[in-house]
Amino acid sequence: MDIAQHIALIDELCLRPFPAEHGPSDGCTGAPGHFVAVLRSSHGLRADGPAERAVTVERYEEYRDALYERLAPRWGETDPWNLQTVLLRTEREEIPEPWAGLSARARVACLWEVEGTGRWVALAVTDRDGTDEVRLLAVVTREAPP
């Protein structure tokens, strides 16, 4: 998929009804109140060295930033959202999904409240777990960020 297709998917998820249960949902994972779409995923990176992983993370961050550049004129410019603070808060309070899971997997996200939809969109590169694949995720949720 290219940037235009990814933006079309995000737009669709901003309008699609949320599923009643957790599970696959037309190209993404759905749960009550949110969708998580994998826009890009590394393959076999778990076995590669840290240098290859760092290059992949950088490429995915550049792609996330390119998506941001296309979405910011529409939804507004925003500062990067530090997910480390959310992760630290999970130790002492209950953080709702999808935010708790996203903070456990990613360090920073681009975040917007999509006016007129009652939904939030986050774009994040999941790179916290060095034993897992690197992914670029689009999260669409009705749950406001904590």
Side-chain angles (χ1 to χ4, degrees):
M1 285 186 145
D2 65 9
I3 286 179
Q5 291 170 315
H6 285 140
I7 290 174
L9 174 61
I10 292 166
D11 286 342
E12 179 191 334
L13 294 177
C14 285
L15 300 173
R16 186 189 296 177
F18 292 114
E21 296 182 20
H22 185 79
S25 178
D26 291 331
C28 64
T29 302
H34 69 269
F35 293 108
V36 177
V38 178
L39 304 180
R40 296 237 164 135
S41 181
S42 62
H43 299 287
L45 195 58
R46 296 175 200 177
D48 291 341
E52 181 65 29
R53 183 177 186 81
V55 168
T56 301
V57 168
E58 185 176 330
R59 274 195 351 253
Y60 284 20
E61 287 173 343
E62 289 170 357
Y63 192 82
R64 179 203 58 211
D65 294 347
L67 284 166
Y68 173 87
E69 292 299 320
R70 296 279 298 272
L71 293 170
R74 192 195 299 184
W75 295 334
E77 293 192 20
T78 61
D79 291 328
W81 186 41
N82 183 352
L83 291 166
Q84 179 66 30
T85 57
V86 178
L87 182 62
L88 292 171
R89 288 174 54 197
T90 63
E91 296 174 7
R92 63 182 190 284
E93 63 185 280
E94 189 163 332
I95 301 294
E97 290 300 336
W99 306 117
L102 187 62
S103 71
R105 299 170 66 194
R107 301 171 196 286
V108 69
C110 300
L111 178 69
W112 296 273
E113 183 177 12
V114 183
E115 190 174 323
T117 67
R119 296 186 184 198
W120 292 84
V121 172
L123 299 173
V125 176
T126 62
D127 66 334
R128 280 194 191 273
D129 184 352
T131 64
D132 198 5
E133 300 295 337
V134 176
R135 293 178 181 86
L136 173 60
L137 301 181
V139 176
V140 178
T141 181
R142 67 175 165 229
E143 185 71 42

